[in-house]
Amino acid sequence: MTHKRDRTLFTSGLARVEGEGAMYVRVSGGHVDEVRLDIYEPPRFFEAFLRGRSYIEPPDITARVCGICPVAYQTSACQAIEDVCGARVEGEIADLRRLLYCGEWIGSHALHIYMLHAPDFLGYPGAVEMAADHRDVVERGLALRRAGNAIMELLGGRAIHPVNVRVGGFYRAPSAAELAPLARQLRDALPLALETVRWVAGFDFPDFTCPHELLALTDPGRYPIERGTLVTSGGLAFTAAGFEQHIIEEQVPHSTALHARLTGAGRSGDGRYLTGPLARYTLNSGSLPPQAARAAAEAGLGPGCRNPFRSIIVRAVEVVCALEEALRLIEEYRPPAAPAVAAAPRAGTGYGVSEAPRGVLYHRYDLDDDGVIRSARIVPPTSQNQRAIEDDLRRFVAARLDFDDTRLTIECEQAIRNYDPCISCSTHFLDLRVDRR
């Protein structure tokens, strides 16, 4: 370790996130000069893969972007294609789509809370070490993930990269009788989710606030998951078709993933903004279903939350929300007359947006008369959050320059995991390096 005002820290790989890359922080004379998320993993070119493909293929192709949140990619893709084709997915089919998405929220959030993030708060290097002392806790997390996967398997055909999703709906819709055992499993999982909120609310959280503009969907009368209007904490409201008018992506020298910013600068002054659980909750907490709303209040969240370390509580509340929603949808379910609506190809441009577990996920497709994709654009949540993560880390380090190298490194890694970055979706990052000189 060099002098605390001038030092270099380096971590060759950050554990418990998805993807690879590097992070660089330079501190000189007690001042944080530079913070970079050096995303170096080669681009995966999904947008290029889609060009020249049939309009019916994006749900299957884009599901492969991520093994944790494939439904998010399928949903935003389907919405965009349906928008071009003029197909309206409503009623029972729309409810099935929301139910499937609930399964992904439950599984993804449970994975993050128990396997990726909780070890930070309890002082363990990982979930395996944590399980040695807290087997019951880890088993609770696995039970919640199984409940989410059960929804995915029944409606999607399998838990990873579902195969039952198509433009216009599904290839097959389940019967009410098939959903009955699933409802029993979800009812058993709901007390586990409520206990999860109480458990994580008892963690010790650093005092830290993110000041960024917040971006999320809003869906009047219910918590946003699979559809809605985009809103910001600064008062903007726009549809998926307006996404590219308000949000710009730019290449930066240190990343193979693009950085997004709001036009008009916004609250931050440089256009940075945050999407994901904190944004969703702060902009939509009044739309939580009853048990999730009570759990949030008992956890002390209040109407909004801007402490990224407390995002683990918000995710736990969203697990309760997704379970409540799933049970409601199953109780009210009546099989549709057909599992999908017709979506005939036509030339045009379509837009889709949904709330992936990590935040807003945008798709845009241009089709020709035969339904061949001429161009595609996908903007995942992690790439949107990169500017905010870098700024938060800059302020976090600046307030902790008296920490020794080991402690500062560990706490920087935890600070990054607050955002549950899906590096593979955005095209990668994470190797921690802090350079003090």
Side-chain angles (χ1 to χ4, degrees), residues 65-404:
V65 173
C66 185
I68 298 175
C69 49
V71 172
Y73 282 90
Q74 292 182 315
T75 301
S76 291
C78 284
Q79 287 179 351
I81 299 296
E82 290 154 6
D83 186 37
V84 182
C85 299
R88 295 181 63 85
V89 175
E90 299 177 315
E92 296 89 352
I93 301 173
D95 287 344
L96 282 176
R97 183 172 283 176
R98 184 172 175 88
L99 177 58
L100 177 63
Y101 220 138
C102 285
E104 179 161 284
W105 269 32
I106 296 163
S108 177
H109 280 342
L111 174 67
H112 173 80
I113 292 167
Y114 282 89
M115 306 301 161
L116 306 182
H117 207 185
D120 285 328
F121 293 99
L122 299 180
Y124 293 96
V128 173
E129 295 84 357
M130 187 174 76
D133 296 330
H134 303 280
R135 182 185 179 117
D136 57 331
V137 167
V138 173
E139 287 181 344
R140 183 173 66 214
L142 292 173
L144 285 171
R145 183 156 173 80
R146 283 195 298 272
N149 284 352
I151 299 175
M152 303 268 282
E153 289 165 1
L154 180 58
L155 271 67
R158 61 189 187 192
I160 300 175
H161 310 322
V163 294
N164 191 37
V165 177
R166 60 174 290 186
V167 172
F170 297 85
Y171 289 102
R172 177 185 179 276
S175 67
E178 288 177 289
L179 291 178
L182 178 60
R184 289 193 292 271
Q185 183 174 0
L186 299 180
R187 281 193 291 269
D188 290 341
L190 186 54
L192 304 180
L194 291 166
E195 179 57 31
T196 300
V197 178
R198 291 188 288 269
W199 176 58
V200 298
F203 291 167
D204 185 21
F205 301 103
D207 184 12
F208 189 78
T209 300
C210 62
H212 319 298
E213 193 91 359
L214 303 177
L215 173 74
L217 294 181
T218 187
D219 190 4
R222 61 184 191 169
Y223 204 72
I225 300 176
E226 83 293 0
R227 69 183 188 191
T229 299
L230 289 151
V231 296
T232 72
S233 54
L236 284 175
F238 51 96
T239 65
F243 186 92
E244 294 180 46
Q245 299 170 28
H246 293 282
I247 293 170
I248 296 172
E249 285 189 299
E250 301 169 322
Q251 187 69 61
V252 295
H254 58 275
S255 176
T256 55
L258 300 175
H259 278 208
R261 64 177 175 86
L262 279 167
T263 59
R267 173 181 185 141
S268 69
D270 70 352
R272 66 178 175 270
Y273 65 94
L274 185 71
T275 188
L278 289 188
R280 269 195 305 265
Y281 178 82
T282 300
L283 296 170
N284 295 282
S285 61
S287 297
L288 284 168
Q291 292 194 69
R294 285 195 296 273
E298 291 170 3
L301 282 178
C305 179
R306 282 185 168 272
N307 184 340
F309 288 88
R310 290 169 65 85
S311 64
I312 193 170
I313 306 178
V314 177
R315 286 185 175 88
V317 168
E318 289 190 338
V319 173
V320 177
C321 169
L323 283 165
E324 277 189 272
E325 274 294 279
L327 286 166
R328 179 188 66 80
L329 290 165
I330 292 172
E331 182 180 351
E332 298 174 359
Y333 178 67
R334 300 293 181 273
V341 299
R346 65 186 187 188
T349 303
Y351 312 89
V353 65
S354 67
E355 283 283 354
R358 292 155 186 82
V360 167
L361 173 62
Y362 168 76
H363 285 226
R364 184 255 292 153
Y365 297 97
D366 299 300
L367 306 184
D368 67 14
D369 289 322
D370 297 319
V372 175
I373 298 169
R374 296 179 297 194
S375 68
R377 186 176 180 193
I378 300 172
V379 184
T382 296
S383 65
Q384 297 177 67
N385 285 339
Q386 285 180 85
R387 286 178 183 267
I389 295 171
E390 287 182 343
D391 185 73
D392 283 350
L393 199 60
R394 179 191 305 275
R395 292 181 298 106
F396 184 80
V397 171
R400 290 160 177 79
L401 292 176
D402 58 330
F403 289 4
D404 64 35

Side-chain angles (χ1 to χ4, degrees), residues 37-43 251-258 426-428:
L37 303 185
D38 291 339
I39 299 177
Y40 59 79
E41 191 164 336
Q251 187 69 61
V252 295
H254 58 275
S255 176
T256 55
L258 300 175
S426 66
T427 314
H428 313 308

